[in-house]
Amino acid sequence: MKVFITRRIPQEGMKILSQAGVCKVSLWDSDEPVPRAELLKGVEGAHGLLCLLSDKIDTEVLDAAGPNLKVISTLSVGFDHMAMDEIKKRGVRVGYTPDVLTDATAELTVALLLATARRLPEGVVEVKNGGWSTWKPLWLCGYGLSGSTVGVIGLGRIGMAIARRLKPFGVKRLLYFGRTAKSYAAEVEGEYVPLDTLVSESDFVVVSCALTPETQGLCNKDFFSKMKNTAVFINTSRGAVVNQEDLYQALSSGQIACAGLDVTTPEPLPTDHPLLTLKNCVVLPHIGSATYSTRGIMAELSANNLLAGLQGTDMPSELKF
């Protein structure tokens, strides 16, 4: 059976596919995204497709693949890059990689929060450019977690993992907002509150929700206007949850203190983007799951999902829709 892989993936995944002996693999052998024309060509007649979050799997791609297509395996926990309604209509199974990147993403979120709140990137620059002269009482002061109120938007797997890691820093209150109250929030003494309450009372606002029609552009001018002017905003979910023009205004006007982003719209963020001119905005290149072990496990899971889909057996991690 023919399989197309849209990018060079960790060897752990390639090894599983080559040893299985059930498919002929065609690979876009690059670290860079597959051009659209090559994607459409590569999927022709494919029984299986292994893709990444940056690959738009729409009706055109599905049409190009044709009726042979049995399974799409995405090397991601997110699936907003795929036309799910159309995929469901065609009876194509979908595998994804939840859980395995939870810890890595939670760790990165905490690292980004601390780097942003304590102004670490600014400090590094000052050391390098000679700005470090002597000890000054108010120089490079930031915000600490001890005694603070943290608000988490989206207390799912990753949101909960973030909360668990932040609690030992001496966080006084942990608020959360989502579609429903979570029984497991008791573990971190989480308080389920309306969004307005979370936004207005939190010293740190951490966004860790899925991208849905309800959350698209959720963090906008109205949202930021309700935050404390000493508050820290962190987003490691999806770039489209934030209205970046409104965030720029909030940061440049002093409406909020600072922001840390691991996700943007678009990705990569253009080097001349206004957000990159601000000292109080830390932007990372979407590296939430970027540990060697996590990416290797993701590749293994993607390969096993793909094989199961090809052979009509149970997938280790199938998206039910």
Side-chain angles (χ1 to χ4, degrees):
M1 286 182 277
K2 183 184 172 185
V3 164
F4 182 62
I5 303 178
T6 64
R7 193 87 60 90
R8 194 181 292 152
I9 65 169
Q11 279 306 305
E12 290 93 330
M14 294 303 293
K15 191 176 172 186
I16 286 169
L17 293 176
S18 64
Q19 289 178 349
V22 300
C23 56
K24 183 183 176 187
V25 174
S26 175
L27 168 74
W28 176 252
D29 195 11
S30 170
D31 286 330
E32 297 304 316
V34 59
R36 184 71 177 179
E38 293 294 334
L39 172 59
L40 294 171
K41 192 169 128 192
V43 297
E44 276 179 28
H47 297 85
L49 171 64
L50 199 159
C51 65
L52 276 68
L53 198 61
S54 50
D55 303 315
K56 192 170 176 59
I57 310 303
D58 55 14
T59 303
E60 188 183 21
V61 172
L62 298 170
D63 285 343
N68 282 349
L69 191 64
K70 295 168 173 276
V71 57
I72 298 170
S73 177
T74 182
L75 191 95
S76 66
V77 66
F79 46 87
D80 43 274
H81 56 303
M82 299 189 283
M84 298 307 293
D85 289 345
E86 192 62 34
I87 291 167
K88 182 181 182 181
K89 201 188 297 178
R90 297 175 190 227
V92 177
R93 296 171 70 190
V94 177
Y96 69 137
T97 61
D99 302 325
V100 296
L101 49 70
T102 298
D103 288 338
T105 305
E107 287 172 9
L108 189 280
T109 303
V110 173
L112 177 59
L113 184 151
L114 291 170
T116 303
R118 295 298 302 273
R119 302 170 67 178
L120 301 193
E122 282 183 77
V124 170
V125 169
E126 292 298 323
V127 170
K128 288 182 176 179
N129 69 14
W132 181 15
S133 55
T134 182
W135 188 88
K136 303 167 196 164
L138 294 175
W139 189 55
L140 286 176
C141 282
Y143 301 93
L145 281 161
S146 183
S148 71
T149 296
V150 171
V152 179
I153 298 175
L155 200 74
R157 285 183 295 261
I158 294 173
M160 187 62 183
I162 293 166
R164 282 195 194 101
R165 285 161 172 76
L166 289 177
K167 204 66 176 147
F169 281 90
V171 170
K172 189 176 180 184
R173 290 178 73 204
L174 198 137
L175 313 179
Y176 74 97
F177 169 78
R179 281 191 292 262
T180 57
K182 310 292 185 189
S183 58
Y184 52 73
E187 182 195 328
V188 290
E189 299 173 76
E191 302 171 44
Y192 184 57
V193 296
L195 182 61
D196 280 1
T197 302
L198 182 148
V199 173
S200 61
E201 295 185 11
S202 296
D203 300 299
F204 297 85
V205 175
V206 181
V207 184
S208 184
C209 58
L211 178 61
T212 66
E214 294 76 40
T215 61
Q216 178 119 17
L218 175 74
C219 306
N220 56 16
K221 185 178 181 179
D222 182 55
F223 179 101
F224 295 122
S225 71
K226 292 169 183 165
M227 285 176 65
K228 299 178 181 180
N229 60 12
T230 53
V232 177
F233 176 79
I234 302 294
N235 182 24
T236 55
S237 61
R238 286 286 174 268
V241 172
V242 177
N243 181 312
Q244 289 175 175
E245 289 70 30
D246 292 351
L247 174 61
Y248 174 80
Q249 290 303 325
L251 288 167
S252 57
S253 67
Q255 176 69 57
I256 66 173
C258 50
L261 312 172
D262 185 42
V263 287
T264 59
T265 307
E267 292 184 358
L269 196 65
T271 54
D272 61 353
H273 195 282
L275 283 173
L276 300 181
T277 65
L278 301 173
K279 283 186 176 180
N280 60 341
C281 188
V282 178
V283 181
L284 299 179
H286 201 153
I287 52 171
S289 65
T291 67
Y292 290 112
S293 61
T294 299
R295 292 285 170 84
I297 294 166
M298 286 172 73
E300 286 177 5
L301 182 52
S302 296
N304 285 322
N305 281 337
L306 188 74
L307 289 174
L310 291 173
Q311 296 170 305
T313 56
D314 287 344
M315 278 188 198
S317 223
E318 183 167 6
L319 192 57
K320 300 294 184 185
F321 54 94

